[in-house]
Amino acid sequence: MVKTFRMRIVLYGIISMAVTCGAELVVLLNLRVIVEFLRRNGYRNSILGRDGMDIQVQMIILIISGGVIFLITFILLMDGLIRYVRRISNGVGKIASGDLNAEIPVRGEDEFAVIAKNVNKMTEEVKMLMEKEREAEKTKNDLITNVAHDLRTPLTSIIGYLELLKNKPDLEAKDRMRFVDIAYQKSKKLEKLIEDLFGFTKLNYGKITMKPGMLDIVKLLEQILDEFYPNFQDSGLSYEFDCPQPSILVEADGNLLARLFDNLINNAIKYGADGKMVRVEVRKEEKQVSIRVINYGKIIPEGELSHIFEKFYRVEHSRSQNTGGTGLGLAIAKGVVELHGGSITASSDIHGTVFQVKLYYSLADSPKRFETE
Ligand code: ATP
Ligand code: MG
């Protein structure tokens, strides 16, 4: 297989030379016959002297015919390549005028084949980028629609209860208190939603710069679990914290990690209330620490697992008012993990619903490049 354009030219040159030599040999061997033929056809000028053709004339004939034969052979051999270059040029022209479905055939392995391959790769990437752009535009529109809806729902009921309080000054103190309480709860919900939204957009549009430091992940998790103690009690759950080491140091942004595990543990309590207990396991791996938050109870269906990290995505059975989230918690969690160059995965079966986070001990080991303040 010819791998470079130069090799192809050399090869075609050699073939043309061989053809030319062969043809010249035939002419040379048949020179007498040619002279005889010309004589018989009436050519008797100075070129065809009495003793046959002059040696100089013979040379000139040989050189000219050799050149012509070489040129014709070479051009014939190059024809395929010239046509291929034209196809590449037409293909690039089409792509340049916006037809991203135009594909250039890849032929052989030389530089032209590499050009064709790269142009095809480039069009594929441009197509993917455009697709992503379209997707981002759609996501943005969805986000605006969802936010408008989620903000309006609690706001409508706050306004309703406040109007009730305003228009009925003679309400009993007990009812008045109840309505104030509902309006307060709804306002809190609105506040949380707005905070989550800010958190999410900041994380996703790169507005957050990490402030990493060395922190003890074991202490952090113990502290968060402690803070959730009343929530565990309210949901009738117990929790188990399983970590063989008393302390594990990780380079990370403490506030962001607290937010991440807050969301995961909050979910485990909210959606694992049927399961009696929540487990948090911490394990040391070679370059990473693995944290698993496990709850039991309702299983997340296989088809929904891949979507739960998307913003505003909520599994069908948890759309009810009593768990009442907005579907941003896991999107924020994923954003935080990715900001640290780590990974987050979810699995759910009869052995439990597991959210596993892996973080590098040192940010320098992570494949991500960091910008810090
Ligand atoms: P938010 O956290 O924004 O208040 P949310 O909890 O509904 O709302 P996410 O935390 O993003 O949103 O979770 C998305 C969905 O994934 C939840 O609605 C729930 O259906 C499912 N889910 C999340 N964590 C668990 C879990 N530990 N067990 C079972 N289902 C879960
Ligand atoms: Mg949540």
Side-chain angles (χ1 to χ4, degrees):
M1 214 58 207
V2 184
K3 292 221 164 128
T4 64
F5 181 58
R6 185 200 291 252
M7 266 168 74
R8 186 180 294 272
I9 296 286
V10 171
L11 181 71
Y12 287 176
I14 293 171
I15 296 174
S16 307
M17 287 275 272
V19 171
T20 311
C21 289
E24 295 277 67
L25 207 64
V26 172
V27 173
L28 207 59
L29 291 175
N30 293 293
L31 215 54
R32 262 180 198 290
V33 180
I34 295 170
V35 171
E36 217 30 61
F37 172 80
L38 290 173
R39 266 218 187 100
R40 233 181 280 140
N41 285 287
Y43 285 92
R44 286 176 197 282
N45 56 16
S46 58
I47 297 175
L48 305 177
R50 203 175 297 177
D51 314 320
M53 209 180 274
D54 187 349
I55 187 80
Q56 278 182 346
V57 178
Q58 285 184 24
M59 289 298 290
I60 291 171
I61 290 178
L62 279 180
I63 290 171
I64 292 176
S65 63
V68 172
I69 295 168
F70 182 87
L71 219 69
I72 291 174
T73 319
F74 193 72
I75 288 174
L76 283 177
L77 286 173
M78 288 292 285
D79 190 54
L81 190 67
I82 292 167
R83 264 187 290 154
Y84 183 46
V85 172
R86 202 173 301 142
R87 281 182 83 174
I88 294 180
S89 149
N90 287 344
V92 172
K94 273 192 200 162
I95 292 163
S97 57
D99 178 6
L100 291 180
N101 290 321
E103 197 178 328
I104 303 169
V106 179
R107 238 182 49 187
E109 292 178 41
D110 63 4
E111 287 91 338
F112 292 105
V114 174
I115 293 177
K117 238 187 250 171
N118 285 340
V119 171
N120 287 342
K121 200 169 136 206
M122 197 180 73
T123 6
E124 245 351 274
E125 271 166 19
V126 170
K127 253 193 332 200
M128 253 165 59
L129 270 177
M130 284 174 75
E131 193 53 44
K132 262 195 192 159
E133 187 102 332
R134 224 170 286 145
E135 192 69 22
E137 188 61 33
K138 187 181 168 298
T139 317
K140 207 168 76 188
N141 289 342
D142 287 353
L143 185 101
I144 294 169
T145 320
N146 283 319
V147 168
H149 174 264
D150 279 31
L151 289 178
R152 203 179 49 198
T153 320
L155 199 61
T156 316
S157 72
I158 293 170
I159 293 171
Y161 282 108
L162 289 181
E163 265 173 5
L164 216 67
L165 287 168
K166 191 175 121 207
N167 297 339
K168 295 196 173 169
D170 49 343
L171 264 177
E172 270 188 36
K174 200 177 81 203
D175 289 338
R176 180 170 285 274
M177 205 51 228
R178 196 163 62 85
F179 293 164
V180 169
D181 192 48
I182 295 173
Y184 177 74
Q185 293 303 336
K186 300 275 176 195
S187 310
K188 283 302 252 185
K189 201 174 158 184
L190 254 185
E191 187 191 29
K192 180 183 177 296
L193 174 62
I194 291 166
E195 259 174 23
D196 280 357
L197 255 167
F198 268 132
F200 173 76
T201 42
K202 269 199 211 158
L203 272 173
N204 267 265
Y205 299 103
K207 296 269 168 54
I208 278 191
T209 26
M210 276 210 298
K211 297 180 187 89
M214 291 314 286
L215 64 90
D216 185 347
I217 191 104
V218 180
K219 294 271 161 331
L220 179 78
L221 286 166
E222 279 172 347
Q223 191 185 329
I224 296 174
L225 283 167
D226 254 3
E227 283 166 15
F228 271 110
Y229 184 75
N231 305 63
F232 278 111
Q233 288 239 307
D234 288 349
S235 309
L237 285 165
S238 62
Y239 70 81
E240 218 174 79
F241 183 58
D242 174 9
C243 175
Q245 287 81 18
S247 147
I248 298 173
L249 291 183
V250 173
E251 189 182 5
D253 183 318
N255 289 331
L256 290 178
L257 279 204
R259 187 131 196 224
L260 154 71
F261 293 114
D262 236 57
N263 280 330
L264 293 186
I265 295 169
N266 191 16
N267 278 351
I269 297 173
K270 243 184 349 184
Y271 305 112
D274 302 342
K276 301 283 173 275
M277 84 130 142
V278 170
R279 257 179 84 79
V280 177
E281 286 177 7
V282 185
R283 291 288 178 274
K284 278 182 96 164
E285 292 181 4
E286 198 192 336
K287 285 188 174 177
Q288 288 175 304
V289 57
S290 145
I291 302 108
R292 284 153 51 95
V293 179
I294 309 163
N295 63 269
Y296 307 90
K298 281 208 182 74
I299 295 171
I300 306 175
E302 182 75 35
E304 310 223 35
L305 261 182
S306 52
H307 296 290
I308 54 173
F309 291 102
E310 290 167 15
K311 56 188 164 298
F312 295 115
Y313 192 86
R314 311 203 64 222
V315 177
E316 206 50 54
H317 61 69
S318 47
R319 281 182 198 274
S320 64
Q321 274 302 307
N322 52 2
T323 53
T326 45
L328 277 171
L330 288 178
I332 292 174
K334 187 162 183 254
V336 170
V337 174
E338 282 175 355
L339 207 63
H340 286 79
S343 63
I344 180 164
T345 49
S347 66
S348 187
D349 54 32
I350 44 163
H351 304 298
T353 297
V354 184
F355 282 84
Q356 179 168 39
V357 174
K358 286 193 178 192
L359 297 167
Y360 286 91
Y361 299 119
S362 159
L363 291 178
D365 285 335
S366 125
K368 192 174 181 290
R369 293 184 63 229
F370 289 94
E371 275 174 39
T372 48
E373 273 181 354

